[in-house]
Amino acid sequence: MTIKNEKKTSEKIEELYQTIKELREEVDLLNKTSREKEEFHKLHLENLNDVIFSVDKKGDFTYISPAIEIFTGYLPEEVIGTSFMKYIHPDDLAGLLNDMDLTIKGQHKPYMFRVISKSGKITHVHTSSKGIVKNGEVIGLNGIMVNIDQLKKVECELMKEKEKAQHYLNVSNVIFIALDRNQRISLANRKAVELLGYSENELIGKNWFDMFIPEIVYSSLKDVFNEIILGGDIEKYRYHDNPIITRSGEERIISWNNSILYDNEGNISGLLASGIDVTEKKIAERAMLFAKLEAETANQAKNIFIANMSHELRTPLNSVIGFSEILLEKKFGDINEKQEKYLCNIFSSGKRLLDVFNLMLEVSKIESEVLELNYSTIELSDLIEKLREHFVPIVLEKEQELSFNINTNIKYIIADVEKVEQSLIQLIDNASKFSKYGSIIKVEIQNTYEDMAFKVSDKGIGISEENMDQLFNPFTQIDSSSTRNYGGMGLGLSLAKKYSELHGGSLKLCSELNKGSTFTFTIPLKPATDMINASEKDKI
């Protein structure tokens, strides 16, 4: 029994010795790995062209990398323990202090300022920093400083350095996930940890697809990953969006930018994906699309309603106008003064209502894109004479003066004459309506190399700058109250603008409140249309 016990004891001692040996080997390996990592980080940190720094609450440097000598000529040991304010251009100090205060309060604030080197040379730098938090208190700042002098001189270099600085600024707000060839997570940054809801230790080594990809896209995304790993074209899948499921069960949509990872021998070792959470953006886009579809449906229904109502009402309205006109002509007997007055009201109101229906129908046709232009040729002097005859009684009633000034040698225009005439009538009518008694309204006709322009000017009430954009919207009045001083449905200017644009021209406004307005209606001198024959073009 004694011999057997001694043998067992010896075996246990041998096993213990072997275990100790293995533990020592593991400790040595860990120490070696730790030293290698420390040397790696130190080597890369000290060879950066950019400056890495830390300052305490007083603003004194607690660390600065060797690159500071390239920037300023100071050695790191000369800088550490001194205040950062010593090196800042005086004109930039106030702004820098304000930016640093915002950073301490939690805002990710970049700084751009000038530093003064040991020799007095000025260098432009771009700095990004973040608060050092200990026990819930900000005890200093960590940051990186980039020389952007060359960016001030060369546009191309400016863009490159800006992208680099932007990378430094945004890296903490971007998700980084690295996957090996077996779809297992080999790297996850802090943003990924925060979003996914797992610690880094819980993530490393886990299958990405099994943990986070919804069933609806599981198979397709795995196929894409496998294709890339086998050497497929990364450009086909570099950018894509897909949903993920977090630990809490919440679905988030991530916009990914994928890059291939290679090992030391140049073989594909995995995939690096950087992602941004675009869930709210996608929700907003869907809401906007739904609203757009609803608006288009409502607009289509409105156009159909207007078109149907206009057609249904115009027939009986024409009868009202026609029969009232016949009665006014007294073809079927005399009428007394009061009857004549009422019939005049019926006739004029019917005409006005018919004009409104016609305008509404025109708007409906334009919005439905079914309105076509009927081109013809008219002598410019004839068009002006028609306008003059139309407005003589109107301006006389308000004791206004209407002048036409033709500053062009062109005699003919080719256009949809009716629509041009309607547009100019609307512009002149507006000028008269919004001008005082006895005021002057000017219509100037001139041409450029490409366009014929009609400028209608008045000294009326004018339009404020903030109201100009809505002026050309259909059914819009600047004073939309029920007690407004000026009538109208707000269709005339909208139609005039549409008519000009259908011709290939424009309607522009120059106005100042209480000082008057000038509307410029333009149409091309030579419209691009097959409807115009050669004889009409020759008249221009």
Side-chain angles (χ1 to χ4, degrees):
M1 292 296 293
T2 303
I3 295 173
K4 289 182 179 180
N5 289 338
E6 288 179 354
K7 184 178 180 181
K8 289 182 180 180
T9 301
S10 176
E11 288 175 351
K12 288 182 179 179
I13 292 173
E14 182 65 26
E15 289 176 1
L16 182 61
Y17 175 78
Q18 184 64 31
T19 301
I20 292 172
K21 182 181 178 182
E22 290 174 356
L23 287 174
R24 283 178 176 174
E25 289 176 351
E26 288 182 9
V27 169
D28 289 342
L29 180 61
L30 287 173
N31 288 335
K32 180 182 177 182
T33 302
S34 177
R35 286 194 302 272
E36 287 176 349
K37 286 185 177 179
E38 182 178 351
E39 290 173 0
F40 176 84
H41 291 302
K42 183 177 179 182
L43 175 65
H44 284 75
L45 186 65
E46 293 184 353
N47 282 279
L48 280 175
N49 290 325
D50 305 324
V51 176
I52 307 297
F53 65 88
S54 295
V55 295
D56 60 20
K57 290 179 67 174
K58 295 186 297 182
D60 294 339
F61 285 103
T62 56
Y63 172 80
I64 197 155
S65 63
I68 189 63
E69 186 177 1
I70 302 172
F71 278 52
T72 64
Y74 290 100
L75 295 172
E77 52 265 31
E78 294 179 277
V79 176
I80 293 174
T82 64
S83 172
F84 73 90
M85 292 188 285
K86 173 182 175 181
Y87 311 97
I88 308 302
H89 192 288
D91 293 344
D92 298 342
L93 188 55
L96 175 59
L97 290 171
N98 182 63
D99 287 342
M100 292 178 67
D101 183 57
L102 292 175
T103 297
I104 291 171
K105 292 178 179 178
Q107 296 187 31
H108 196 56
K109 184 70 177 177
Y111 324 139
M112 282 177 279
F113 54 91
R114 291 164 289 178
V115 297
I116 304 173
S117 69
K118 199 171 187 177
S119 65
K121 179 185 174 184
I122 303 297
T123 302
H124 291 83
V125 298
H126 183 290
T127 300
S128 175
S129 65
K130 192 171 183 180
I132 304 171
V133 180
K134 184 177 182 181
N135 297 326
E137 179 186 358
V138 177
I139 62 171
L141 292 174
N142 276 334
I144 184 166
M145 184 187 302
V146 183
N147 186 334
I148 60 171
D149 262 352
Q150 292 302 316
L151 303 182
K152 296 286 183 177
K153 301 174 183 179
V154 184
E155 182 69 21
C156 180
E157 290 298 317
L158 174 63
M159 294 305 297
K160 290 180 181 179
E161 291 298 325
K162 183 179 179 181
E163 290 173 0
K164 183 179 180 181
Q166 194 66 42
H167 169 72
Y168 290 135
L169 294 174
N170 295 333
V171 64
S172 62
N173 291 321
V174 175
I175 305 160
F176 280 96
I177 296 289
L179 306 179
D180 62 20
R181 292 180 62 90
N182 297 316
Q183 307 158 12
R184 299 191 180 279
I185 302 169
S186 58
L187 177 146
N189 73 337
R190 186 176 64 183
K191 186 66 178 179
V193 167
E194 292 173 356
L195 179 74
L196 298 174
Y198 293 86
S199 69
E200 185 177 357
N201 290 335
E202 289 176 306
L203 291 173
I204 300 302
K206 299 299 190 298
N207 187 290
W208 168 256
F209 294 92
D210 292 344
M211 283 190 73
F212 300 109
I213 302 303
E215 184 178 354
I216 191 171
V217 293
Y218 181 87
S219 297
S220 60
L221 289 182
K222 283 191 71 172
D223 290 343
V224 169
F225 177 85
N226 291 330
E227 183 179 341
I228 293 173
I229 292 299
L230 293 174
D233 185 6
I234 183 63
E235 295 303 324
K236 288 172 57 179
Y237 309 109
R238 183 173 297 277
Y239 304 103
H240 72 92
D241 299 347
N242 70 261
I244 62 169
I245 303 297
T246 68
R247 186 172 198 163
S248 66
E250 181 184 14
E251 182 174 299
R252 308 296 295 179
I253 301 173
I254 310 300
S255 181
W256 297 104
N257 181 349
N258 298 315
S259 300
I260 297 176
L261 296 175
Y262 297 92
D263 59 22
N264 293 333
E265 297 179 356
N267 299 315
I268 296 176
S269 62
L271 186 72
L272 177 64
S274 60
I276 299 174
D277 188 343
V278 294
T279 307
E280 282 70 27
K281 178 183 175 184
K282 293 296 183 181
I283 292 173
E285 286 176 353
R286 285 196 292 266
M288 288 179 64
L289 178 61
F290 182 72
K292 181 174 180 290
L293 292 174
E294 278 193 326
E296 289 175 350
T297 302
N299 190 57
Q300 184 180 11
K302 179 201 72 177
N303 291 335
I304 293 172
F305 173 77
I306 290 175
N308 289 339
M309 288 300 294
S310 296
H311 285 296
E312 291 297 325
L313 293 174
R314 276 169 31 171
T315 300
L317 192 56
N318 279 324
S319 297
V320 171
I321 295 169
F323 286 124
S324 61
E325 187 176 19
I326 291 172
L327 291 174
L328 283 170
E329 292 174 353
K330 302 178 183 179
K331 291 183 178 180
F332 299 100
D334 291 335
I335 54 178
N336 60 41
E337 184 178 343
K338 186 172 289 189
Q339 289 172 333
E340 185 173 3
K341 178 181 177 182
Y342 291 161
L343 284 170
C344 285
N345 285 339
I346 293 171
F347 178 78
S348 61
S349 297
K351 289 282 288 182
R352 182 178 177 185
L353 192 55
L354 183 61
D355 289 339
V356 169
F357 287 148
N358 288 333
L359 285 175
M360 291 171 63
L361 190 57
E362 286 288 287
V363 170
S364 176
K365 288 180 179 178
I366 290 173
E367 292 182 347
S368 301
E369 298 181 352
V370 298
L371 184 68
E372 295 181 355
L373 298 180
N374 297 315
Y375 283 91
S376 62
T377 303
I378 187 172
E379 192 168 349
L380 192 57
S381 58
D382 290 344
L383 175 62
I384 300 305
E385 189 58 34
K386 285 184 178 181
L387 294 173
R388 195 191 305 275
E389 290 176 359
H390 179 88
F391 281 102
V392 164
I394 297 174
V395 297
L396 285 178
E397 184 179 351
K398 295 187 68 173
E399 300 177 1
Q400 294 171 336
E401 179 182 337
L402 176 61
S403 66
F404 291 89
N405 187 11
I406 302 177
N407 293 325
T408 177
N409 294 323
I410 294 175
K411 293 184 178 181
Y412 296 91
I413 60 171
I414 298 176
D416 187 319
V417 177
E418 181 181 348
K419 290 177 175 52
V420 171
E421 185 177 341
Q422 288 178 9
S423 300
L424 295 176
I425 286 174
Q426 178 60 47
L427 296 179
I428 298 171
D429 185 58
N430 261 27
S432 174
K433 181 165 59 175
F434 295 107
S435 297
K436 297 178 180 179
Y437 277 76
S439 60
I440 299 174
I441 300 163
K442 295 181 179 180
V443 181
E444 184 177 359
I445 301 96
Q446 60 190 40
N447 69 283
T448 64
Y449 180 76
E450 297 180 343
D451 298 318
M452 177 67 73
F454 300 84
K455 292 187 176 181
V456 180
S457 303
D458 63 68
K459 299 293 182 182
I461 63 173
I463 302 158
S464 62
E465 186 174 352
E466 60 268 22
N467 286 327
M468 286 186 186
D469 289 341
Q470 62 176 317
L471 187 65
F472 297 104
N473 295 332
F475 304 101
T476 298
Q477 285 277 12
I478 299 304
D479 178 10
S480 59
S481 67
S482 60
T483 59
R484 65 175 186 249
N485 297 322
Y486 308 99
M489 293 187 62
L491 291 174
L493 290 178
S494 172
L495 282 174
K497 187 173 188 297
K498 292 290 186 182
Y499 288 158
S500 65
E501 291 170 350
L502 284 172
H503 280 85
S506 64
L507 178 59
K508 296 180 179 179
L509 167 63
C510 180
S511 184
E512 188 173 351
L513 196 62
N514 299 321
K515 291 189 177 181
S517 305
T518 297
F519 287 87
T520 303
F521 178 91
T522 65
I523 58 172
L525 290 174
K526 296 183 178 180
T529 174
D530 296 335
M531 297 174 63
I532 304 173
N533 57 48
S535 62
E536 288 177 327
K537 291 183 179 179
D538 291 340
K539 294 180 182 180
I540 301 179

